[in-house]
Amino acid sequence: MTTDQSATGGSQSASQDGTTAEPPASGGSAETPPPSAATDAAADTGTDADGGGTPDGKKSDSTGKSATAGTAASGARTAASGDDAALDADPGTTGSTGTTGKATVGEGGTAGPGDQSAPASKTTPGTSTSSEAAALGAGTGDDQGSTGETAGGTGKDATSKDPTSKDDTSKDAPSKDAGESGKEKAGEGAPGDGKPDPWAAFGPAPVPVPTWYGRLGRRLGRFAIHEWTLAALGSLALAVLMTWPTLRYPRHTLPQDYWDPSLQAWQMAWSGHILKTDPAQLWHANTFFPERWSFAFSDTLLGYAPAGMIGTGPEHALLRYNIMFVLAHALATFGAYVLARQLGASRIGSAVAGVSYTYAPWLLAQAGHLHVISNGGIPLALAMLARGHGWSLRHGYRPERRNPGWVYAGWLVAAWQLSLGFGIGLPFAYVLAGTVVVAAVIWYAKRIFWRVKRPFGQRLLTADLIGGLIFAGVGILLAIPYFTVTQLHPHAERSIADIAVFSPPATGFVTAPGESRVWGELHEGARAILPWHPEMTLLPGFVLYALAAGGLFFSIWTARQRLLLLLGVLVTMVLAMGTEFFGGTFTYVPLFDHLPGWNGIRTPGRLMLWTTLLLGLLAAGAVSAFAERVREISAARIPSWPSPWLRLATLVPLVLVVAEGTNTTPQPVVPPQPAAMREVDGPMLVLPSSQGHDQPVMLWSTSRFQQVVNGGSGFVPRQLDDVRRVTMAFPDQTSVDYLRTLGVQNVLILRDLVVGTPWEISIDAPVDGLGITREEIGSVVVFRL
């Protein structure tokens, strides 16, 4: 009898299951076997799964005729004890788990798969074996049969080989009664009697119904170990480490110097403040009084305005700047990593691309320019757009992977990157526009000339149109103030001669800035011959050069893709040279003359950002190919003992790139805010005034944002230049009258900074007859006009 039949309580023969019955034992018939054969048959067929009989006791004794009522009663008592013992047994135990232990595989006659010739246990006449006693207990077959197989896979084989099972069981009424009696004594209720089934503990556990907080916890757990989460956290940790000690004293120091960083700290503070109080005055900042549109005198970092809404005063401005400085590095690493992964590189290859893009030695010279460091939106937007269009460099276009949501996200990130400044954002906008045009031309060319028709989708087209319009709209709205400034200040426009001053020679591509820990001192002589080395030391890293060169010959990219990446590297390097490449006649000058806004880019060397990104992708191809080869070698070796060392070798390129990107960037202490800047109202002029002096003054004004004449930017307005010239003799009647015409009410002279300036003498000069008063607040002399 099979366990499936046992579970339903039926009493069908093994032959009805499709098995072939064995011939009767010699010396007996199928109807009435000899006593010894009956005993053996009982041991074979009466024990099902764990030594029990069928659920209702119909086959408690397979011999039927040889078992007496007394023996059945004794077997029932034994089965009862066997059932109790089975409750404490291991559910994984095979053989007679519900009996006293005699009828085990190989001893109790229950043969396992592959051991069908195991001898049955022998008993003396008139005595019941433990298997028979358990069979009379009749309780184990129900639950064990419900699983579809007997325990250990033995009950089915034993039943199917016993030709007497059907007749003997059907005729053995006393055995049936005895089995039911034994079942009652064992404490097992009949079906439907409401008593719990002790064998239910050995069944499969019910599927738990997850609670809402359980589902939330699992979802958060999956998010915490997702590749993008780990990549983001790794990028952040590396940024903190590589920029240290930026966050050691974030309220008092600034990386590189405190001139341009002070200006940019003020920019974030101003945008956050004015958007909360009077958004209509965003472009008319409190500095450069009484100039209009003064916020557009430099790249604005407007995309960081939400951060500027938190906190007030110079200390909060410094803290905000330092935090954004670190986060900008983290975003650049993460963005380049995601782009390389989307294009088809491996994890380790993508890590090399991300680190080399962020910590290239040439970028160390730009540590004081947050708008240059904040470039992570470029690769991140490209990765999102590629993902949304189902495209990768390695696998090409895959329509089934299209996702309009990623397209929207990519365009929004691109617009945010553009809002940080046109110095980096304008070339990105032209690259993005060129990519769209080239992709569209190739798409329609394949459809028209090659008859290649691939789906694109209405939703994807709509996402591109809406996202592109948002990106273009943001660009136009941001460009209007800058065009207005060029109209009001024509001298602010740059000429090709201005570009030539900052154009680096070819030697700049192998020269590192002084902030490089590895190459800084070694390249001191090479920097000395550069006209303006802060913008001309453009080394992306010798390790990156080597990995990219290897990627030309050994890579996951195809030969055509490698050549295209190499072409991109060469083109961007030529453009980064500005007018140094044959005067830029056929390279930079046409862009300067014909592309709107390109003449606002003062330093062509910053185009090295694109060279670094393309070199990183070439390097990622080489490292990814090496990592794949390592996996193949490790899988082919038995045992794979070299695997840990080979896998460790894949980390060497990453370690070398990180080491070459280490720096010795200084962290100077910012001059503290004078108390007078918190007390005196504007409009005011702070003396001495110059580009270097005015940028800290802008930072000091973040407590009250009173109007100040001072200001620092990419150009000097003519009016500010006149103020600096006229006030050289302050306080005198000419300067006082001129300042009054501008609307200036207070003049502050900083005693700590007047040494060596004309105000060193005039600061204490008498003011009688000028109609002004003088008072001192701390180390500041305040003249009230």
Side-chain angles (χ1 to χ4, degrees):
M1 167 181 161
T2 64
T3 25
D4 288 339
Q5 293 165 329
S6 173
T8 59
S11 58
Q12 300 178 5
S13 66
S15 62
Q16 291 172 329
D17 260 355
T19 58
T20 304
E22 294 182 357
S26 61
S29 64
E31 294 291 337
T32 309
S36 61
T39 307
D40 293 344
D44 281 343
T45 62
T47 307
D48 185 23
D50 287 337
T54 57
D56 52 1
K58 290 182 179 179
K59 291 192 177 182
S60 56
D61 186 40
S62 62
T63 60
K65 296 179 181 181
S66 64
T68 63
T71 304
S74 175
R77 289 190 296 271
T78 308
S81 62
D83 287 344
D84 292 338
L87 293 176
D88 298 326
D90 184 3
T93 305
T94 61
S96 55
T97 58
T99 68
T100 56
K102 291 288 186 180
T104 58
V105 175
E107 182 180 356
T110 308
D115 190 20
Q116 299 178 359
S117 61
S121 63
K122 304 298 182 178
T123 59
T124 58
T127 307
S128 174
T129 65
S130 59
S131 297
E132 293 169 334
L136 293 174
T140 61
D142 185 24
D143 297 291
Q144 296 294 336
S146 65
T147 63
E149 293 182 3
T150 58
T154 61
K156 181 176 180 179
D157 294 338
T159 305
S160 63
K161 294 181 180 181
D162 187 7
T164 66
S165 60
K166 179 177 181 180
D167 295 336
D168 293 343
T169 306
S170 61
K171 296 178 182 180
D172 192 7
S175 297
K176 175 179 178 180
D177 296 337
E180 292 176 352
S181 175
K183 185 175 181 179
E184 293 174 359
K185 290 182 180 181
E188 297 185 13
D193 62 359
K195 294 182 179 181
D197 185 359
W199 293 100
F202 297 97
V207 179
V209 179
T211 59
W212 68 267
Y213 49 84
R215 291 192 299 269
L216 178 62
R218 284 194 295 271
R219 184 171 300 178
L220 292 176
R222 287 193 298 267
F223 174 79
I225 62 174
H226 195 278
E227 179 185 353
W228 302 140
T229 305
L230 297 178
L233 294 176
S235 300
L236 180 59
L238 184 63
V240 173
L241 178 65
M242 295 292 284
T243 60
W244 189 261
T246 297
L247 295 181
R248 187 176 183 180
Y249 304 109
R251 294 175 180 266
H252 306 284
T253 63
L254 284 172
Q256 189 84 347
D257 55 58
Y258 56 77
W259 296 305
D260 282 352
S262 293
L263 161 66
Q264 293 170 331
W266 166 83
Q267 287 175 326
M268 285 188 284
W270 166 256
S271 60
H273 160 76
I274 201 64
L275 289 178
K276 288 193 303 181
T277 57
D278 190 3
Q281 298 299 314
L282 171 65
W283 297 102
H284 311 300
N286 69 309
T287 57
F288 294 99
F289 177 83
E291 296 283 358
R292 305 286 288 172
W293 304 97
S294 57
F295 194 50
F297 287 178
S298 302
D299 280 338
T300 62
L301 295 174
L302 188 59
Y304 290 151
M309 296 180 180
I310 305 174
T312 58
E315 287 193 1
H316 284 120
L318 294 178
L319 175 63
R320 183 187 306 114
Y321 179 93
N322 286 319
I323 291 176
M324 300 311 297
F325 180 80
V326 174
L327 291 180
H329 284 80
L331 180 62
T333 305
F334 178 74
Y337 174 87
V338 171
L339 177 60
R341 286 290 284 156
Q342 174 61 31
L343 296 181
S346 66
R347 291 183 177 88
I348 187 65
S350 300
V352 169
V355 173
S356 63
Y357 176 74
T358 308
Y359 303 103
W362 76 272
L363 281 169
L364 298 177
Q366 303 293 331
H369 302 136
L370 185 59
H371 61 294
V372 178
I373 299 298
S374 301
N375 53 56
I378 294 176
L380 183 60
L382 294 175
M384 289 178 170
L385 290 172
R387 190 176 186 88
H389 288 85
W391 185 85
S392 72
L393 188 62
R394 191 173 187 181
H395 304 289
Y397 178 61
R398 291 178 287 182
E400 69 278 4
R401 292 178 176 260
R402 293 170 296 170
N403 190 329
W406 283 112
V407 175
Y408 283 113
W411 284 111
L412 291 176
V413 171
W416 173 80
Q417 176 66 53
L418 192 62
S419 71
L420 295 178
F422 283 110
I424 296 298
L426 187 64
F428 172 52
Y430 281 118
V431 168
L432 203 55
T435 302
V436 171
V437 172
V438 170
V441 169
I442 294 176
W443 180 274
Y444 284 105
K446 288 185 176 182
R447 290 179 65 92
I448 296 173
F449 299 106
W450 286 274
R451 304 295 181 184
V452 178
K453 295 184 178 181
R454 293 178 293 181
F456 191 79
Q458 186 69 30
R459 294 177 58 197
L460 200 62
L461 179 61
T462 302
D464 278 323
L465 290 176
I466 295 176
L469 288 175
I470 293 174
F471 178 77
V474 170
I476 292 173
L477 290 176
L478 291 175
I480 290 175
Y482 289 93
F483 285 117
T484 304
V485 168
T486 58
Q487 293 175 357
L488 296 175
H489 306 274
H491 68 284
E493 290 192 55
R494 296 182 174 91
S495 64
I496 198 66
D498 297 324
I499 303 303
V501 173
F502 297 99
S503 295
T507 56
F509 296 122
V510 291
T511 305
E515 293 83 359
S516 173
R517 184 179 298 275
V518 178
W519 309 114
E521 294 183 3
L522 295 175
H523 291 185
E524 184 176 357
R527 288 193 302 274
I529 63 176
L530 296 176
W532 184 251
H533 67 82
E535 297 289 349
M536 296 182 180
T537 50
L538 302 179
L539 175 68
F542 290 113
V543 175
L544 183 60
Y545 276 145
L547 292 175
L552 294 174
F553 305 97
F554 179 68
S555 176
I556 61 171
W557 316 127
T558 65
R560 183 177 65 176
Q561 292 167 348
R562 286 176 249 169
L563 290 177
L564 289 175
L565 289 173
L566 176 61
L567 179 62
V569 168
L570 296 177
V571 169
T572 53
M573 291 180 77
V574 167
L575 292 177
M577 293 178 67
T579 60
E580 283 293 313
F581 187 80
F582 299 103
T585 305
F586 302 102
T587 56
Y588 197 89
V589 173
L591 301 180
F592 184 88
D593 290 337
H594 301 293
L595 287 184
W598 199 272
N599 56 1
I601 299 178
R602 181 173 56 121
T603 53
R606 294 174 184 176
L607 292 174
M608 194 65 186
L609 187 70
W610 294 93
T611 306
T612 307
L613 180 60
L614 295 174
L615 287 172
L617 293 178
L618 275 173
V623 176
S624 298
F626 176 62
E628 290 184 359
R629 183 57 181 159
V630 165
R631 287 193 294 269
E632 293 173 1
I633 294 175
S634 300
R637 292 180 180 271
I638 301 177
S640 58
W641 59 269
S643 176
W645 298 106
L646 287 174
R647 292 184 182 277
L648 187 63
T650 61
L651 297 177
V652 173
L654 178 61
V655 172
L656 293 177
V657 170
V658 171
E660 195 173 20
T662 54
N663 64 88
T664 58
T665 302
Q667 302 284 333
V669 177
V670 179
Q673 179 193 41
M677 291 294 297
R678 298 188 296 269
E679 300 176 11
V680 179
D681 296 329
M684 68 169 65
L685 169 66
V686 180
L687 296 174
S689 176
S690 66
Q691 179 82 355
H693 289 105
D694 284 3
Q695 288 169 331
V697 172
M698 300 171 76
L699 175 65
W700 295 338
S701 71
T702 56
S703 292
R704 300 178 59 187
F705 290 100
Q706 62 268 61
Q707 292 177 315
V708 294
V709 178
N710 307 75
S713 67
F715 77 100
V716 180
R718 293 285 173 82
Q719 184 170 272
L720 178 59
D721 190 51
D722 291 341
V723 169
R724 290 171 178 171
R725 178 176 49 83
V726 170
T727 56
M728 293 293 290
F730 184 88
D732 66 337
Q733 193 65 51
T734 303
S735 60
V736 170
D737 292 341
Y738 179 73
L739 292 176
R740 282 173 174 166
T741 61
L742 295 179
V744 177
Q745 297 180 4
N746 299 291
V747 176
L748 281 65
I749 300 182
L750 309 178
R751 284 190 178 276
D752 297 338
L753 301 178
V754 298
V755 178
T757 68
W759 300 284
E760 185 177 4
I761 299 175
S762 63
I763 190 173
D764 295 319
V767 295
D768 299 338
L770 297 176
I772 62 176
T773 61
R774 178 173 55 198
E775 66 174 299
E776 295 200 19
I777 303 177
S779 61
V780 178
V781 180
V782 180
F783 296 86
R784 302 187 183 275
L785 307 186

